[in-house]
Amino acid sequence: LGLSDTTDRSSPVQVGTGNNWIELSVGGYHTLLLNSNGTLSAFGRNTEGQLGIGSSGFINGINSIGNLSNWAKISSGEFSSYAIQSNGTLWSWGRNNNGELGSSNTTSRSSPVQVGTESYWAQIGGGGQYFLAIQSNGTLWSCGTGQFGLLGLSDTTNRSSLTQVGTESYWTKIFPSRNFVLALQSNG
């Protein structure tokens, strides 16, 4: 809950004292927070490095992720995290058993690492053990576990690099869950 303890609560309680949070993303066991000043914070289970603080272990209170202040979008997967900086670059960290970090390998990371060199990412969505991203040109990309056809690539093969899904260029939003994906096109 980010309250610096392990006590269950049955009614709403303010987390921390800040009032500048503009976005949050809840993963399988952790939460990412984006502040209006462009900084990132996180709390929760960190056994896979999904909090991005350079170490592992449970974190009960809110912790800052590095000292950068140019983050623009965030998304949490089950055991991983994703963010886009204001310059359009894509970053990931956490568990990478199925290539869900998009880093062309299966090495897990406990700190944010840039995915590729492109700077035109517009939307991201972390799922169970995979993630999807939309580029500013409207193309859809995926990587991670291909189980159940989650990557939209007409097979069940795992991918450790972002791979374009089809040839369409009118994707606007993605909604990945643990075992299925929904996506919205610009034509509604």
Side-chain angles (χ1 to χ4, degrees):
L1 298 178
L3 299 171
S4 299
D5 62 34
T6 57
T7 304
D8 292 342
R9 306 296 202 288
S10 60
S11 59
V13 176
Q14 182 174 336
V15 178
T17 58
N19 61 358
N20 295 320
W21 304 111
I22 58 172
E23 190 175 339
L24 66 89
S25 180
V26 179
Y29 302 94
H30 68 293
T31 300
L32 289 179
L33 302 160
L34 177 61
N35 195 298
S36 61
N37 67 7
T39 59
L40 287 182
S41 296
F43 61 86
R45 182 176 173 175
N46 191 36
T47 54
E48 308 292 335
Q50 63 264 47
L51 298 188
I53 59 174
S55 62
S56 61
F58 285 89
I59 305 295
N60 294 328
I62 298 173
N63 277 311
S64 295
I65 300 173
N67 57 7
L68 296 177
S69 60
N70 61 339
W71 300 103
K73 296 186 185 291
I74 57 174
S75 184
S76 301
E78 186 171 13
F79 298 104
S80 53
S81 299
Y82 310 93
I84 297 175
Q85 290 185 348
S86 55
N87 64 5
T89 56
L90 177 61
W91 298 70
S92 64
W93 60 96
R95 184 160 96 182
N96 197 26
N97 292 0
N98 300 291
E100 57 263 45
L101 298 185
S103 57
S104 301
N105 58 49
T106 55
T107 303
S108 296
R109 307 283 184 192
S110 61
S111 296
V113 176
Q114 186 173 345
V115 178
T117 58
E118 297 84 5
S119 59
Y120 37 77
W121 298 101
Q123 296 289 326
I124 47 176
Q129 294 178 36
Y130 66 100
F131 96 96
L132 300 156
I134 298 174
Q135 292 182 349
S136 56
N137 65 4
T139 56
L140 178 62
W141 299 73
S142 65
C143 68
T145 182
Q147 185 180 23
F148 310 123
L150 288 168
L151 302 182
L153 300 170
S154 300
D155 61 34
T156 57
T157 303
N158 294 353
R159 305 285 197 306
S160 63
S161 296
L162 282 167
T163 304
Q164 187 171 349
V165 179
T167 58
E168 297 84 6
S169 59
Y170 40 77
W171 300 101
T172 59
K173 296 209 184 254
I174 42 182
F175 306 94
S177 71
R178 183 179 173 96
N179 294 322
F180 69 92
V181 179
L182 298 174
L184 186 63
Q185 296 178 347
S186 58
N187 63 4

